[in-house]
Amino acid sequence: MESFSADWLTLREPADHAARVEALVTTLAASLATPGVSTRAVDLAAGTGSNVRYLLPRLPALTHWMLVDHDAALLAEATARLAAHPDARGRTFSPRRADLNDLAALPIDGAALVTASALLDLVSAEWTRLFARRCREAGVHVLCTLSYDGRIGCEPADALDARVRELINAHQRTDKGFGLALGPDAADATAAAFRAEGFDVMVADSDWVLDESHAELQRQLIDGWAGAARDIAPDETVAIDRWRDRRLAAVADGSSRVRVGHGDLLALAPAR
């Protein structure tokens, strides 16, 4: 199962939060305000708790959050950060170390919401189908955000941009610990899986839009993209490295602009 460092998750958090689709969260909040709805939520692949930090002030009806991740160190970081959050008063946060491949064991029964951020593009089509079924059986609403959808736009344009994007998307479809990953197909595949289980599904674009204020995030993205491209096409290493150098030079002089396509998905559970 792929892991991410706390430093990377912290670096991307402002871009993540800026990209989120408020309208979907507003719709979800209205559904959760119904009398008798559980006050418990489960955040999958919780990392350092960024998704929960975004949702805390927007979903006041949810007072108990379970944070699920396979990385104990990230869970400890998440719990500490959330305890210090200004909206933590009256909320509880329970870390749970678990393997997300074991869908039957996911602690979602009795919850009102299952949520995850930047997860769906890492999982397989079969995992997604089984996840949708498990959520329908548990009767939970689902909010999955920031799923990469294969779109990358860079300014100033470079002749090798399209080829590197093609290689990145091929890398995104390799096994990330859940079988062959959906990668850029995640948003559409997940929407179809939840609709097949009777959920009311809403989707919206949640693109990162990065400028000179995101210079370090751009640098790390470009390095990561070049590495992924080299993994898929090692015989193109020289050209890829030159592309990387040109892109980093644009970041250094402040002219670089990057848009990374993501999608948010809200699936409201069918009446039971």
Side-chain angles (χ1 to χ4, degrees):
M1 192 177 302
E2 191 159 302
S3 293
F4 300 93
S5 74
D7 288 345
W8 166 251
L9 296 175
T10 298
L11 179 63
R12 65 174 287 169
E13 183 168 324
D16 283 345
H17 287 194
R20 296 284 291 265
V21 181
E22 291 273 358
L24 295 186
V25 182
T26 300
T27 299
L28 173 60
S31 295
L32 294 173
T34 304
V37 172
S38 169
T39 60
R40 192 166 75 85
V42 180
D43 185 36
L44 303 180
T48 64
S50 176
N51 186 32
V52 179
R53 283 191 291 278
Y54 177 85
L55 293 173
L56 277 182
R58 295 168 173 85
L59 298 178
L62 298 175
T63 56
H64 179 71
W65 289 84
M66 178 172 286
L67 313 175
V68 180
D69 204 288
H70 73 286
D71 189 318
L74 289 179
L75 285 173
E77 180 76 14
T79 305
R81 291 193 193 185
L82 286 164
H85 194 279
D87 292 296
R89 186 182 180 90
R91 315 288 183 93
T92 63
F93 307 100
S94 303
R96 173 75 68 88
R97 190 177 182 188
D99 181 356
L100 296 186
N101 279 294
D102 188 359
L103 288 167
L106 286 183
I108 65 175
D109 296 291
L113 173 68
V114 173
T115 184
S117 182
L119 172 65
L120 296 182
D121 45 88
L122 304 178
V123 303
S124 68
E126 180 65 9
W127 189 97
T128 301
R129 287 192 292 270
L130 294 175
F131 176 56
R133 184 177 306 165
R134 177 78 176 88
C135 291
R136 189 255 302 160
E137 292 168 351
V140 294
H141 299 320
V142 179
L143 178 67
C144 290
T145 67
L146 296 163
S147 301
Y148 173 66
D149 66 7
R151 293 179 294 120
I152 297 173
C154 297
E155 297 178 10
D158 187 278
L160 208 64
D161 285 346
R163 176 57 177 161
V164 172
R165 182 173 61 249
E166 177 185 12
L167 295 172
I168 292 165
N169 288 338
H171 192 277
Q172 287 289 313
R173 293 184 171 95
T174 60
D175 192 336
K176 311 299 183 186
F178 300 89
L180 292 179
L182 285 165
D185 305 317
D188 289 344
T190 306
F194 276 94
R195 287 187 177 116
E197 294 292 340
F199 284 76
D200 181 10
V201 176
M202 288 153 271
V203 296
D205 289 343
S206 53
D207 296 358
W208 276 356
V209 181
L210 310 180
D211 57 21
E212 67 272 15
S213 68
H214 306 92
E216 182 57 26
L217 179 56
Q218 288 197 55
R219 280 190 286 269
Q220 292 202 26
L221 273 178
I222 291 163
D223 276 335
W225 287 339
R230 287 192 297 267
D231 285 348
I232 297 298
D235 56 322
E236 299 179 45
T237 291
V238 172
I240 292 165
D241 285 348
R242 288 174 178 165
W243 172 87
R244 170 188 171 275
D245 291 345
R246 293 192 296 272
R247 293 251 68 98
L248 289 176
V251 175
D253 70 22
S255 65
S256 178
R257 301 291 183 271
V258 175
R259 177 181 287 269
V260 183
H262 296 104
D264 285 6
L265 175 146
L266 173 63
L268 298 177
R272 305 184 73 177

